[in-house]
Amino acid sequence: MSTTDFLNTDPFAAARAAADYIAEETAVDSHDVALVLGSGWGAAADLIGETTATLSAEEVPGFHAPAVEGHVGTIRSVLTADGKRALVLGARTHYYEGKGVRAVVHGIRAAAAAGCTTLVLTNGCGGLNDNWAPGTPVLIKDHINLTAASPLEGATFVDLTDLYSSRIRGLAREVDPTLGEGVYAQFTGPHYETPAEVQYAKRIGADLVGMSTALEAIAGRHAGMEVFGISLVTNLAAGISPVPLSHQEVIEAGQAAGPRISRLLADIIAKL
Ligand code: 8IG
């Protein structure tokens, strides 16, 4: 049976198998913090500490190679200055890849099975607030899941009040008091929104629009992890800015903001 079949038979057993593989190959019995790197955040792991092992995503049970240019397909074990073990997932599976929600949250469940008690989710997204220029990092305070999907199956009634830890958001603001916060709406993608959809998102309370994070956060909470989310506004959402969106713009905004957000993320992780 292939690992993909295994994922579709028993996602939690697949996560356990991935965690066992990670522990074996990284020679780290238990990790503390999981970090998912989204668009623009690829370099952020380098400042967090010393990389002690690098695995390629496709070798780990149940993982897939990333589908997007600008995303890094590795899983790294990083040792921080104060001795924490971070598991850095550079390879997110997006819902729009059509591999199913189990595949989307497999890395989250694997990280939890590998011992992680904190989950740090990063992404690149569109901003609805024109005070947030491309390159602005924003704390996620809550989300709106517009995918019409859930990573949970059956009668699994998980409370999502304070899903995005107010404790860790407070630590982040100690690092950078200028950080704003907003509500992230997860659309399915892979197309960007129409201007009308962006206005709809705004009216229902969203500040940020993207194609990830919400489903992962739910799986993280379900697995018992403390969840922190931070977005990099890489573009103004459709219709907010007069210019059309381009994936190239997204990559360039990420590259320009890279050093600042890398430092920010490393400083937040040091405070956990
Ligand atoms: I980077 O404007 C990035 N990801 N849905 N909308 C959505 N996802 C995004 C956007 C955006 N920018």
Side-chain angles (χ1 to χ4, degrees), residues 233-264:
V233 174
T234 56
N235 57 276
L236 289 174
I240 301 282
S241 151
V243 282
L245 313 195
S246 81
H247 186 58
Q248 193 53 35
E249 171 196 23
V250 165
I251 291 172
E252 284 168 12
Q255 283 167 352
R260 174 176 170 219
I261 63 175
S262 298
R263 182 77 266 152
L264 173 65

Side-chain angles (χ1 to χ4, degrees), residues 95 101-102 105 109 145 147-153 156 215 218:
Y95 189 60
V101 193
R102 288 175 173 186
V105 299
R109 290 179 172 150
N145 173 10
T147 66
S150 171
L152 310 183
E153 299 169 45
T156 316
L215 296 172
I218 295 166

